[in-house]
Amino acid sequence: MTKPSLLFVCLGNICRSPLAEGAFRGAAKAAGLDADCDSCGTAAYHVGNPPDPRSIETAARHGVDIGSLQARQLCADDFKRFTQIFAMDHQNLANIEAVKPEGATAEISLLMDAVEGREGAAIADPYYDGEEHFQFTWDDVSAAAEALVIKLKSR
Ligand code: 4NP
């Protein structure tokens, strides 16, 4: 069976998707799941930058170090390299679909589609909000990470 490889995508790759990557890494490690994962942004504003300090702090509070991640932009190769691509919100989903190349093999969906009862929900952008919003983001991405790990473990 193909090893799962998951890509988490937001706009800037400094707030939501690094938290999703961190939550998934933590949940996969705890469950002994062998999977690859990465995160990126649909925009290039923050390429090369570490996650927002508020994201780093939030992940650290939950025992996950995301401080060495570096933002990058979604590229054509990602659509073949990853088995699943998860968008944080509807605008990112539309942006991903808009640059999807011919021959793309990755399944593309909203991240919250993985959580029973939250299908179709967006993960709100915490960038312009207060610190507590990063905890709300963590709650969402960790619910999705747990659900994905359970699904992938039972394949
Ligand atoms: P993210 O949040 O997409 O969750 O990383 C944002 C980060 C930066 C900006 C917007 C959203 N920005 O406009 O620079």
Side-chain angles (χ1 to χ4, degrees):
M1 197 181 293
T2 322
K3 181 172 167 180
S5 52
L6 284 62
L7 180 64
F8 301 98
V9 186
C10 61
L11 179 66
N13 194 207
I14 57 166
C15 296
R16 291 164 292 175
S17 61
L19 283 174
E21 178 181 348
F24 182 79
R25 280 190 197 284
K29 190 174 172 197
L33 173 71
D34 186 21
D36 290 327
C37 74
D38 194 13
S39 62
C40 67
T42 53
Y45 316 129
H46 296 280
V47 168
N49 292 348
D52 187 287
R54 298 165 294 179
S55 284
I56 295 175
E57 266 170 42
T58 302
R61 269 203 315 277
H62 296 280
V64 181
D65 180 7
I66 60 167
S68 59
L69 299 183
Q70 277 194 332
R72 71 171 182 88
Q73 191 175 21
L74 179 68
C75 66
D77 185 50
D78 289 327
F79 291 85
K80 280 198 170 162
R81 185 176 148 211
F82 293 93
T83 53
Q84 290 165 277
I85 297 179
F86 296 103
M88 299 298 124
D89 63 27
H90 302 83
Q91 186 60 59
N92 295 137
L93 183 62
N95 291 343
I96 294 165
E97 294 286 358
V99 297
K100 183 171 88 173
E102 283 284 310
T105 48
E107 282 175 28
I108 303 166
S109 60
L110 281 172
L111 180 59
M112 291 311 280
D113 285 350
V115 183
E116 213 182 318
R118 303 286 307 277
E119 297 90 346
I123 296 180
D125 184 355
Y127 185 64
Y128 298 103
D129 291 315
E131 204 117 324
E132 72 276 16
H133 287 264
F134 284 75
Q135 179 58 44
F136 304 152
T137 304
W138 177 266
D139 293 342
D140 282 348
V141 297
S142 57
E146 295 290 345
L148 288 170
V149 166
I150 289 169
K151 208 177 288 182
L152 292 168
K153 279 287 274 187
S154 65
R155 290 195 315 167

